[in-house]
Amino acid sequence: MTRIQIENVLQPGKTYPVDAAKFGEMGRVMLQVMPPGPPGMTPKDLIAKVKPLLDQTLFPNGEKAGWWVKAVQLDGEAKGRIVRAEKPPVRLWRA
């Protein structure tokens, strides 16, 4: 299993090792379904949209999709690829 280091917008300067294949697949699918601007979509709606599109060998029955959505979200925010609405509720869109 190949691992990559990802960032977390809430913990600048710190990185975390994750499975590269799962992270790449989730990132690809998330960017495919996320809107290009506000108002964006909630994490709950995002998880529901990505589950049926994920590679079933990596995410059988959408297993752990929520965790991976959050990982890609926080890394994407840290790298400026994903934007979070300034006020609650959490809503996300492509940068």
Side-chain angles (χ1 to χ4, degrees):
M1 167 180 27
T2 302
R3 298 182 77 72
I4 59 169
Q5 296 292 320
I6 64 169
E7 299 176 58
N8 179 336
V9 70
L10 303 174
Q11 296 178 323
K14 191 169 183 180
T15 61
Y16 300 88
V18 298
D19 181 288
K22 287 184 178 184
F23 185 83
E25 173 68 359
M26 183 59 77
R28 179 188 69 76
V29 174
M30 280 177 62
L31 291 177
Q32 180 182 325
V33 301
M34 287 174 75
M41 63 193 315
T42 66
K44 181 180 177 180
D45 291 340
L46 186 56
I47 292 166
K49 288 259 189 187
V50 300
K51 276 186 175 184
L53 303 174
L54 293 168
D55 179 334
Q56 289 299 300
T57 60
L58 294 172
F59 296 96
N61 300 313
E63 187 176 290
K64 300 196 188 251
W67 188 91
W68 286 97
V69 163
K70 191 66 171 180
V72 171
Q73 171 202 333
L74 295 173
D75 182 74
E77 284 185 75
K79 293 177 176 154
R81 291 190 282 241
I82 295 175
V83 178
R84 183 191 318 205
E86 290 183 21
K87 296 179 182 178
V90 172
R91 297 190 70 79
L92 306 166
W93 60 87
R94 294 188 314 260

